[in-house]
Amino acid sequence: MSNNTQKVELSIVVPAYNEESNLDYLFERLESVLTSLNTTYEIVCVNDGSKDKTIEYLVKHHHRNQAIKVIDLSRNFGKEIALSAGIDYATGSAVIPIDADLQDPPELIKDLVAKWQEGYDVVYATRRTRLGESWLKRFTAYGFYQTIGKMSRVEIPQNTGDFRLLDRRVVEAVKQMPERNRFMKGLFAWVGFKQTSIIYDREPRYKGKTTWNYWKLWNFAIDGITAFSFVPLKIWSYIGIFISLLSLLFAVFLFVQTVMFGIKVPGYASTIISILFLGGIQLISLGVIGEYLGRVYEEVKGRPLYFVRNVYGFDSESNID
Ligand code: UDP
Ligand code: MG
């Protein structure tokens, strides 16, 4: 353990879950870019409870290059939390989260840094294309960005992942946000600061398989929307008002009809339809309230975001390095 407490200029943060087949090539490309930048750097890798040999690979690389530092989480916490852990440990004046699967080309770090040196606090990399992703994934992603864009009070950049450069100021701001629901792109946008973007082509995964499926993506989308919008809660009041008005009109109609033409007994269809319709609406709105309530419960418990099993390359008592 030598010069590790020294602050560096650039921190690259890599969350990794079952990425053993990508790491060698990732470091090769990262290191060649970072050396060419002629600056001090660290690569903070977070092993998010991988089931393969990711941690062994990371530690091996750490021994080869001390600038590669490793945080071994106690289990799989999911990408957003792994990223938060890495950002907590990063010391750089600028922090760049990047995926381990090389979907975000490391060569772009140069452009990010150039913009940062022009004076921007956040430089995000926006995807122009998403190679190797099905039309369904592209379509659902588009739908998601449209929806959240309309509902959220902060503007969340479209087609932008977590690959971006964050100035230390922004990192400190994001670290102050205590929520357990880490919808990172939302948090990064929420803090504000001077932001700009660069455009790139998203590449397909180098090796391995994505852990995302549509069910996870759906839940991720709900996390994002509930964390950044009250629209789903509020909308029920308006739907309620609308339905009440309709029923009032219908009541007047029935009243007049009864007065003028007398009582007609049949009415099974309209009765059952309105019962089912209102019952459905009520269940949906209860469900939405439940979504928010569950999240409130999650936050109120106040559990730590993650636990670290071990670190390599940081000064810490748990270090067995
Ligand atoms: N990842 C993680 N924990 C998880 C799932 C993923 O740290 O539970 C990491 C993964 O290793 C990769 C990044 O998050 O570096 C993006 O994951 P993936 O490529 O599976 O997502 P996609 O690119 O399909 O959105
Ligand atoms: Mg990926």
Side-chain angles (χ1 to χ4, degrees), residues 99 101 103 202 205:
D99 282 359
D101 57 6
Q103 282 196 283
R202 184 140 164 101
R205 222 171 202 285

Side-chain angles (χ1 to χ4, degrees), residues 27 44 119 143 172 187 199 231 257 272 274 304:
F27 289 126
V44 179
E172 292 306 321
L187 300 186
I199 307 273
V231 172
Q257 195 193 35
I272 214 77
S274 45

Side-chain angles (χ1 to χ4, degrees), residues 15-17 19 48 76 79 100-101 103 202 205 210-212:
Y17 176 62
E19 301 283 4
D48 188 16
N76 178 263
K79 178 186 177 180
D101 57 6
Q103 282 196 283
R202 184 140 164 101
R205 222 171 202 285
T210 173
T211 53
W212 292 98

Side-chain angles (χ1 to χ4, degrees), residues 15-34:
Y17 176 62
N18 295 346
E19 301 283 4
E20 56 177 13
S21 49
N22 291 321
L23 291 175
D24 289 342
Y25 187 44
L26 172 77
F27 289 126
E28 187 187 316
R29 275 174 68 179
L30 269 180
E31 283 170 53
S32 87
V33 175
L34 290 166

Side-chain angles (χ1 to χ4, degrees), residues 30-41:
L30 269 180
E31 283 170 53
S32 87
V33 175
L34 290 166
T35 359
S36 75
L37 274 171
N38 233 335
T39 168
T40 51
Y41 70 88

Side-chain angles (χ1 to χ4, degrees), residues 117-321:
Q117 281 161 349
E118 280 175 28
Y120 289 98
D121 302 317
V122 179
V123 189
Y124 48 88
T126 298
R127 305 155 187 161
R128 179 170 38 206
T129 54
R130 298 162 154 254
L131 299 171
E133 289 182 0
S134 69
W135 67 266
L136 189 59
K137 171 98 191 264
R138 287 198 299 260
F139 178 72
T140 46
Y142 175 79
F144 167 67
Y145 283 114
Q146 286 296 317
T147 315
I148 198 160
K150 293 224 169 65
M151 285 187 171
S152 157
R153 285 157 298 162
V154 290
E155 200 177 313
I156 294 171
Q158 290 214 4
N159 282 322
T160 301
D162 295 316
F163 185 36
R164 61 185 71 205
L165 181 145
L166 306 159
D167 185 80
R168 173 65 28 201
R169 283 185 277 241
V170 182
V171 172
E172 292 306 321
V174 169
K175 273 161 75 174
Q176 282 177 35
M177 305 180 88
E179 51 252 76
R180 257 119 277 280
N181 174 3
R182 310 299 288 181
F183 182 66
M184 292 308 259
K185 342 176 191 247
L187 300 186
F188 291 149
W190 190 89
V191 296
F193 294 91
K194 211 172 151 200
Q195 312 212 356
T196 187
S197 68
I198 57 173
I199 307 273
Y200 76 109
D201 295 311
R202 184 140 164 101
E203 285 172 36
R205 222 171 202 285
Y206 177 59
K207 289 218 172 100
K209 262 200 354 236
T210 173
T211 53
W212 292 98
N213 54 41
Y214 285 102
W215 178 240
K216 277 193 181 173
L217 280 177
W218 167 250
N219 283 308
F220 181 69
I222 293 188
D223 275 349
I225 289 170
T226 50
F228 284 90
S229 168
F230 290 127
V231 172
L233 276 179
K234 286 196 204 150
I235 198 169
W236 300 107
S237 323
Y238 296 104
I239 293 183
I241 291 172
F242 180 68
I243 292 179
S244 308
L245 284 178
L246 276 189
S247 1
L248 194 67
L249 288 180
F250 191 51
V252 171
F253 167 74
L254 283 184
F255 182 76
V256 173
Q257 195 193 35
T258 313
V259 168
M260 291 176 64
F261 304 105
I263 298 171
K264 270 200 266 163
V265 174
Y268 173 75
S270 58
T271 314
I272 214 77
I273 288 173
S274 45
I275 288 177
L276 290 181
F277 178 66
L278 284 178
I281 293 255
Q282 279 163 356
L283 281 183
I284 295 173
S285 59
L286 262 184
V288 173
I289 295 173
E291 285 285 339
Y292 281 87
L293 186 65
R295 283 171 170 75
V296 171
Y297 181 49
E298 198 64 40
E299 298 292 338
V300 163
K301 279 191 281 191
R303 289 186 184 154
L305 260 190
Y306 55 85
F307 283 110
V308 172
R309 187 168 168 270
N310 225 323
V311 292
Y312 303 82
F314 298 95
D315 283 336
S316 161
E317 283 166 24
S318 63
N319 202 327
I320 52 150
D321 194 17

